[in-house]
Amino acid sequence: MVELDDKRISRPEGAEPAPAVVNRPNTPLLSTQDGAAKRVSSAVFGEEVAIHGRQGDFALIRHQHDHYVGWSKLDHLGAMPQQSFTHWVSSPMGHAYVEADLKSAPKTSLFLGSRLIITDTKDDYNFMEGVGWIHKAQISALGVYHSDPCDVALRFLGSPYLWGGRDAFGLDCSALTQLSFAACGTSLPRDSDMQFAWSGVSVENWSEPGALQRNDLIFWRGHVGMMLDEATLLHANGYTMSVSYEPLETAVRRIDEETPYGRPIGAKRISFPDATAPGWLAN
């Protein structure tokens, strides 16, 4: 049973943490202060972190969205802005341009969940200083959410599987579920075992015909997927190395036969939007 003092999310000991924000399109969270170390998670532009220590070019950070801990490059982090964030990127991926024109040169890429401070508008574009012009179709005001997690997840269809990834360049199974529910106003923890332990309510007799419904999560020991309907599973997986969907029955049989995850251990139904602070964020 996962506990709140799990080293993946527990507050590192040491100096008082310093607040910071991610200043790159994305930054890996690594297991050690080594650029070739295992990626454990990721953070995207404008997300808040707390710096708990520094070694060389790296900072030990704790992601404020889900409390995940890892090492990030120091130059991927910046000071908290003086102004408040106003918008968030509500598409899996978009571009910021030099001019308010889709034919102008792109300055940078932005990923779902990135936070922005919009200071100007022109035609169909919004401007953030230092970032560029972003089309209005790709952002939303803070507090304005999508209405269906599966609809969000389907926009990642075909995106490559990446362990520890958390954006359209590559993501893992629990990142897909976390991002999809976050875009609908509900916070989930980072890893599948945490999501199973701390999120939603159990779907009793989930294996019976008709028990599952759209947006239910089904869990294995080490894997999670989303139900598109009572019989179809959508998941980021290492079999196709992508986000894909397939009959749940097919996935259950293959995962049991070909992986160490065995058979599913249960299913959860999660309310959205859910603005209440989840208990696992209290640690």
Side-chain angles (χ1 to χ4, degrees):
M1 181 67 177
V2 62
E3 301 291 345
L4 291 177
D5 61 358
D6 190 295
K7 66 180 181 180
R8 291 171 291 177
I9 60 169
S10 58
R11 191 186 306 273
E13 297 180 357
E16 186 71 18
V21 294
V22 177
N23 63 12
R24 301 296 175 88
N26 58 8
T27 185
L29 273 64
L30 305 175
S31 59
T32 66
Q33 59 277 30
D34 178 349
K38 175 184 175 182
R39 182 194 297 245
V40 296
S41 190
S42 303
V44 297
F45 184 87
E47 288 192 314
E48 296 182 27
V49 303
I51 298 176
H52 287 266
R54 294 173 171 85
Q55 283 195 22
D57 295 333
F58 288 85
L60 180 63
I61 65 172
R62 192 178 193 226
H63 196 302
Q64 297 301 82
H65 175 71
D66 56 24
H67 285 185
Y68 222 81
V69 175
W71 291 88
S72 172
K73 292 291 292 293
L74 264 171
D75 61 2
H76 290 192
L77 308 174
M80 292 291 294
Q82 296 296 313
Q83 296 173 268
S84 298
F85 290 102
T86 61
H87 290 72
W88 64 290
V89 176
S90 49
S91 298
M93 181 178 174
H95 299 294
Y97 296 91
V98 172
E99 303 290 345
D101 183 348
L102 60 82
K103 294 182 181 180
S104 68
K107 289 186 64 176
T108 190
S109 300
L110 298 166
F111 299 104
L112 182 71
S114 298
R115 299 195 305 164
L116 308 169
I117 301 170
I118 298 302
T119 58
D120 195 8
T121 60
K122 182 179 179 181
D123 299 327
D124 290 333
Y125 289 81
N126 297 265
F127 180 76
M128 178 173 175
E129 185 70 36
V131 175
W133 292 92
I134 308 105
H135 196 278
K136 67 179 184 180
Q138 297 178 319
I139 65 175
S140 298
L142 289 185
V144 176
Y145 299 113
H146 292 289
S147 61
D148 180 27
C150 273
D151 179 63
V152 177
L154 282 168
R155 301 183 190 192
F156 286 94
L157 198 63
S159 295
Y161 181 89
L162 179 65
W163 181 272
R166 201 169 150 269
D167 56 61
F169 272 1
L171 69 172
D172 57 31
C173 64
S174 53
L176 179 66
T177 53
Q178 184 193 51
L179 289 170
S180 299
F181 276 87
C184 295
T186 298
S187 296
L188 303 187
R190 177 61 179 90
D191 288 347
S192 62
D193 60 336
M194 298 176 186
Q195 292 177 7
F196 183 64
W198 299 332
S199 301
V201 297
S202 296
V203 179
E204 301 299 333
N205 303 315
W206 63 266
S207 60
E208 295 182 0
L212 294 171
Q213 64 185 37
R214 187 177 178 89
N215 293 311
D216 286 347
L217 300 186
I218 184 164
F219 293 88
W220 288 256
R221 296 191 186 280
H223 188 58
V224 60
M226 305 175 66
M227 298 304 297
L228 290 177
D229 53 42
E230 66 179 43
T232 308
L233 180 73
L234 173 69
H235 56 156
N237 63 89
Y239 179 68
T240 65
M241 290 301 292
S242 67
V243 176
S244 61
Y245 59 85
E246 61 185 313
L248 175 61
E249 183 178 348
T250 301
V252 168
R253 182 173 61 253
R254 186 189 69 253
I255 292 171
D256 187 32
E257 294 174 353
E258 300 179 5
T259 78
Y261 302 145
R263 295 187 63 80
I265 57 174
K268 289 293 191 78
R269 186 163 295 157
I270 298 169
S271 298
F272 59 92
D274 185 355
T276 59
W280 52 268
L281 277 178
N283 66 322

